[in-house]
Amino acid sequence: MGYIRPSSRLEAIPPYLFSELDARRDQVSKMGMDIIDLGVGDPDLPAPKAVAEAAAKAVLDPASHSYPPYEGTSDLKKAIARYYKERFNVILDPDAEVLVLGGSKEGIAHLATALVDHDDVVLVPDPAYPVYEVWAKFCGGRVVHMPLLEKNGFFPDLSLLDKETCSKAKLLWLCYPNNPTTATASAADFKEALDFASRHNLVAANDNAYAEIQFKHSPTSILSLPDAKENAIEFGSFSKTFDMCGFRLGWAVGNHEVLDALKAVKKNTDSGVFTAVQEAGRIALEEHMDFANSLRVTYKERRDAIITEIAQAGLDFRIPDATFFIWIRVPAGMSSSEFSLRLLEETGVVVTPGNGFGPYGEGFFRISLTRDKKRLAEAGRKIRGFVRKITN
Ligand SMILES: *Cc1c(COP(=O)(O)O)cnc(C)c1O
């Protein structure tokens, strides 16, 4: 099949930076070294049992076996609207302002198809979840990176964008609580982004996958700001709040024109999410919000188990108030990749090099708290030993 040439579109996908690291991990593991993998962003704990049971029951109901409604079941859309009311005091019309997605990644990807024409500018944070950029490019858009700097609280400085960029911009991506930097956004931050969006007539999209994984502040939504629905939409996910990654269920809420455009793309792509999965999501939102409390406790304990060790190592990082990550500066004189590779080879601990999230991630590495407390403390001790060795 050597004569089949994939589309040139696929050249927009950035090179996979972690193949060397992955290969080394497999080698190191084969040599018998104990691997502690803190690289993955996939929760290690199961979804609430009652949610899985609700899904199983719904699978057996023949009513689930026909095509689901494209935009989501009425029951789930109402449950999402109720969640927004209770959690953020945001009123949503379940029919016009809520769209059910097959995981939020699916909607994040298709939003570009819905909005971006050739040469439109898409404003993408750097570092960031790679999907924003890849799909902007798939659609012929021009990606402009907005550096996330520690001195600005890892929020983009929108005043640095030039006039031409602003006039061509169609879409502004935000992600707060942020993966990978763990930063949260204040109401003032969101307001600045919304003012910018309305001044330049563009869509602000906040990826709120980590809404419920917060240790200090209550969860926030960009939609809770006045008039936010004029320019903004927000993505939500069942993956991190309820450990339901495998179910593939999420939502988009907010501006109804944007959601209509997204719906039009989806109508011609998928035919909705399996009704049984939507039923499980409804049960999760309506009956198991306390699960998020237990997750917050678990991740906070895990965070505390490892930060004591890495603080003693002299590493430079901010104690995260949200998400299940820690974003840490690499010791001076080493690149992200070099540090991650040597850490793996000498200790068996796998971390994610920051440059995998964009050029401004260089100089950092990310730890994921998706292992138990004991393993995290053990990983922390190994990191401490390694850092002591290389900085002496
Ligand atoms: C995990 C994650 C998602 C969620 O993806 P799903 O498709 O809902 O599983 C979205 N954005 C970010 C930044 C994430 O880390």
Side-chain angles (χ1 to χ4, degrees), residues 300-309 373-374 376-377:
K300 189 161 182 281
E301 281 177 6
R302 290 176 174 190
R303 179 196 77 176
D304 294 344
I306 190 166
I307 58 175
T308 329
E309 297 292 338
K373 226 166 35 181
K374 215 171 125 236
L376 280 163

Side-chain angles (χ1 to χ4, degrees), residues 342 346 383-392:
R342 273 193 62 192
E346 296 183 31
I383 292 170
R384 174 153 61 99
F386 173 71
V387 170
R388 186 164 290 163
K389 193 176 124 194
I390 60 170
T391 50
N392 266 341

Side-chain angles (χ1 to χ4, degrees), residues 103-105 108 129 132 175 179 207 209-210 237 239-240 248:
S104 60
K105 185 181 195 172
I108 289 166
Y129 188 57
Y132 317 135
C175 172
N179 174 14
D207 176 358
Y210 296 91
S237 174
S239 296
K240 316 290 160 65
R248 310 309 306 131

Side-chain angles (χ1 to χ4, degrees), residues 123 158-159 161 166 169 172 191-202:
L123 302 169
L158 299 168
S159 71
L161 296 165
C166 293
L172 163 69
K191 181 170 187 310
E192 195 184 312
L194 287 169
D195 288 347
F196 175 85
S198 101
R199 213 162 45 243
H200 299 290
N201 200 19
L202 53 88

